[in-house]
Amino acid sequence: FVGNSTYLDDHGPPPQKVLPFPSQVVYNRVGKCGSRTVVLLLRILSEKHGFNLVTSDIHNKTRLTKNEQMELIKNISTAEQPYLFTRHVHFLNFSRFGGDQPVYINIIRDPVNRFLSNYFFRRFGDWRGEQNHMIRTPSMRQEERYLDINVCILENYPECSNPRLFYIIPYFCGQHPRCREPGEWALERAKLNVNENFLLVGILEELEDVLLLLERLLPHYFKDVLSIYKNPEHRKLGNLTVTVKKTVPSPEAIQILYQRMRYEYEFYYYVKEQFHLLKRKFGLKSHIRKPRPRPEFFIPSPLETEEPIDDEEEDDEKWLEDIYKR
């Protein structure tokens, strides 16, 4: 106070916190696609940049009833902004329940590799458990834990066949029951959502480029993420989340998996192509690596390309504006 006058009289109301745009981000992370590494990074980044990291203890409930969707959307929407919410959950349509649609981000990986990582992780966990002599999924019967991956695939056990293998697409398709049925409808709806609601869907095989683009697109959340990721201390942490005791199935078994997961692969190649186009917009090259000798049991796809396809140049600023208008 100076005499009878207050700060407000002399200066007007205190300045309001200016929120970055976007101030609501959802990372509905796909299981076994590097998400624990990214969440470790987000914990560091939220301290560093002062955004609200909202996480969930629920890891195994991706499909929600209408009431559960409304409840979760209400809880997320009332979080202090800027927030980044993360949970293993299939895409939620906020606008359907009258909420502001947040910006979505996600990361996926080669579907067979994701499946194999999950198969062995459920049985044996990762190095963190190994060091503490912890067994993953204690309730699993021993004969199931040591079930040979080839037997599981070739004899069509439920874990190694559809609809269990139809895993990545529902994260993008959404909560509609048809999103869990392997087929064109779910695939097309997932692609549409990627185009309309996701700022970025990255490819785990190119994680450093994913982090670089997140830093460019969402600096308030991801500034310096690449240097933190490359820090040897963080690398040590990341190595503990590597799945242990993985074995490679026979060529015949992989060929069967590939056929069962054809919609997942069509989606994966579509996302990969979009990701390469996005990299190109930012002047990042998709390096043409000498292709590894490719086993014959993998069916090549015309969409699988290391170099993004040519497109007409467009003004970078305008393109960014269009993304934010979505």
Side-chain angles (χ1 to χ4, degrees), residues 134-145:
M134 278 164 52
I135 283 220
R136 187 83 187 167
T137 332
S139 59
M140 192 181 274
R141 297 193 319 278
Q142 287 301 86
E143 61 267 30
E144 190 186 348
R145 189 182 307 283

Side-chain angles (χ1 to χ4, degrees), residues 150-165:
N150 291 304
V151 172
C152 184
I153 296 164
L154 297 173
E155 296 188 12
N156 211 11
Y157 278 67
E159 187 179 356
C160 297
S161 53
N162 279 313
R164 297 267 194 96
L165 293 178

Side-chain angles (χ1 to χ4, degrees), residues 248-265:
V248 179
S250 69
E252 183 192 0
I254 290 204
Q255 176 66 29
I256 288 170
L257 269 187
Y258 200 100
Q259 283 159 354
R260 286 177 191 164
M261 299 172 95
R262 64 188 180 278
Y263 293 111
E264 294 273 278
Y265 269 98

Side-chain angles (χ1 to χ4, degrees), residues 152-214:
C152 184
I153 296 164
L154 297 173
E155 296 188 12
N156 211 11
Y157 278 67
E159 187 179 356
C160 297
S161 53
N162 279 313
R164 297 267 194 96
L165 293 178
F166 194 68
Y167 182 87
I168 297 172
I169 285 173
Y171 275 88
F172 299 87
C173 176
Q175 296 288 337
H176 192 288
R178 285 188 73 185
C179 286
R180 305 191 285 277
E181 295 168 13
E184 289 291 331
W185 188 88
L187 169 67
E188 291 309 317
R189 184 159 164 155
K191 286 181 183 175
L192 188 69
N193 272 335
V194 166
N195 294 337
E196 292 186 352
N197 292 298
F198 283 79
L199 180 64
L200 174 74
V201 183
I203 298 292
L204 183 62
E205 293 83 357
E206 301 175 38
L207 182 58
E208 288 197 5
D209 285 340
V210 177
L211 297 177
L212 197 59
L213 285 179
L214 283 169

Side-chain angles (χ1 to χ4, degrees), residues 306-320:
E306 288 295 347
E307 194 61 74
I309 57 169
D310 283 338
D311 65 331
E312 290 177 23
E313 296 296 329
E314 62 180 284
D315 179 64
D316 270 352
E317 293 303 312
K318 179 186 175 307
W319 173 80
L320 263 178

Side-chain angles (χ1 to χ4, degrees), residues 211-238:
L211 297 177
L212 197 59
L213 285 179
L214 283 169
E215 197 168 336
R216 301 267 186 95
L217 288 167
L218 297 168
H220 183 76
Y221 298 87
F222 286 97
K223 189 170 185 301
D224 301 325
V225 66
L226 201 53
S227 55
I228 295 167
Y229 174 69
K230 286 180 164 179
N231 181 308
E233 283 307 301
H234 176 267
R235 273 294 162 88
K236 256 192 316 205
L237 283 174

